Amino acid sequence: MRLTDIFSSNFNPSEWEAKGYQLPKFNIMAVREKTAKEPTWVHFGGGNIFRAFPASILNDALNTGKYDRGVIVAETFDFEVVDKAYTPYNNLSLLVSLKGDGTVEKKVIASVTEALKADYQFADWQRLCEIFRNPTLQMISFTITEKGYGYNEADLQRGLKPVFALGKVTALLYERYQAGELPLTVQSMDNCSHNGDRVMAGVFAYAERWVNDGLVPAAFADYVRDKTKVTFPWSMIDKITPRPHEKVKELLAIDRFEDNNYIETEKHTFTAPFVNAEETQYLVIEDDYTNGRPPLHLGGALYTTRETVDKVETMKVTTCLNPLHTAMSIFGCMLGYTLISAEMQDDDLRSFIQKIGYIEAMPVVTDPGVLNPYEFIGAVINRRLPNPFMPDAPQRIAMDTSQKLPIRFGETIKKYIARGLDMGNLQLIPLTLAGYARYLKGIKDNGEPFEPSPDPMLEELQAIVAPLEIGKADQNFSCLHTLYSRSDVFGLDLYEAGLGEQIEGMVKELYAGPGAVRATLHKYVSER
């Protein structure tokens, strides 16, 4: 069984279906021909998350028979992905959804009609220019990670042949401008706050620089700023898509599915003909399109207002997912765990994050309306985090913790203060922040050392707690005032918030000696 068998005259779909493989219900070649002539969607970034999510929901939309156009993928960074993960398989891929109960769902994704290298050195660039000049194009989108939105002075100086992704996109928008100032929506699907504004800032920077340098007319900058012509909507995306998993490769081998090899490029992109991902997924998009849009709602995307997208994102990052991740990572590292799914088998840790979410953070959540906060957090705790297929580690999540604490916990505390709520309701969030002072020592609860995860403020914050020793009686904890008054780390001065002394007391318990982390965690979780 190989993906390209689908195009063979001898293809036997019943063999695939008997093994649980869901095949496309639409005419693949008809969709490709229609898309080539009248493209509607170009997506930048051909990585695993794209194939597992945006391409998959378009595949579902095509399966309804209510749409007839696919998506053209343009790779801006690692061109080997096109050569090794798309071209050999005629742009088909296999999505393996990893369910919380340990089962899998297998679906052939055939919504990608072309895979192009988005760079001037390749002939594909002319094809992209042709697509951008086509009036039927409605949307371009991105999963290039937040780092892909960068630009610098050197790239701005390269004129109409920049190296960075947003520079290339702006050059293609200039093609669309020259074709008659045709409308288009520029849609980020990356997991970062107010993502549309990040794309917009980059496009505006290139456009303005080129105008100032006399490379393009001033009207081009007016075009990209005209909200009737070009829009940059926000979105919230959520789906865990790890690297190709050994267990999945083994399952596919049992089926005699042969396209299960790993691919690592020279730029260390890890991919495969298959992509494995969790089953749970959310894509909430601001409905602000100038030239129509592909009907991704047929595949489960939610179109709504900018305000609602913001509420959904706030719900996720301050209550229903991100704070739970951080709490688990801090204590998981100290308790010696290396897998999030294994932590969820620990009664103390599971109860810890449940109570943070449901009891302490939920009172200040604004229900966005399109997603129920209780259902969202229920999916996180009962399906997503315990998923045995998810090889996510507390050590990875603990990276850059100092940069995450102000949003993941500081915002909740601020809302308690602003709304005049009882601060006495906060017990486990303060415990999490106390745990951070213990985590910074880099010593597990059993006394063994561990390496705290990379963090731009790690050395500075470790220096603050350096005088503290684990198991030393009657030591001076005055250094904690320096730490917990840092609004740049916690989002506010925790003493002014009325929590500083409470957190100090918890830190003292956590430093009592070997086993103190477990004992303190169990104590406060049980009291809640």
Side-chain angles (χ1 to χ4, degrees), residues 480-498:
L480 294 178
H481 197 282
T482 302
L483 177 64
Y484 290 112
S485 60
R486 293 278 298 261
S487 58
D488 59 331
V489 177
F490 301 101
L492 72 172
D493 183 324
L494 290 165
Y495 292 92
E496 292 180 359

Side-chain angles (χ1 to χ4, degrees), residues 434-501:
Y436 190 51
R438 175 65 176 76
Y439 165 89
L440 289 169
K441 294 300 290 185
I443 300 175
K444 296 179 185 178
D445 197 28
N446 64 5
E448 296 176 358
F450 73 89
E451 186 71 29
S453 301
D455 187 306
M457 300 182 73
L458 181 61
E459 291 185 9
E460 177 185 352
L461 298 179
Q462 284 185 312
I464 295 175
V465 300
L468 301 180
E469 297 181 35
I470 296 170
K472 181 180 179 181
D474 302 322
Q475 62 182 311
N476 187 346
F477 283 87
S478 60
C479 61
L480 294 178
H481 197 282
T482 302
L483 177 64
Y484 290 112
S485 60
R486 293 278 298 261
S487 58
D488 59 331
V489 177
F490 301 101
L492 72 172
D493 183 324
L494 290 165
Y495 292 92
E496 292 180 359
L499 295 173
E501 287 76 12

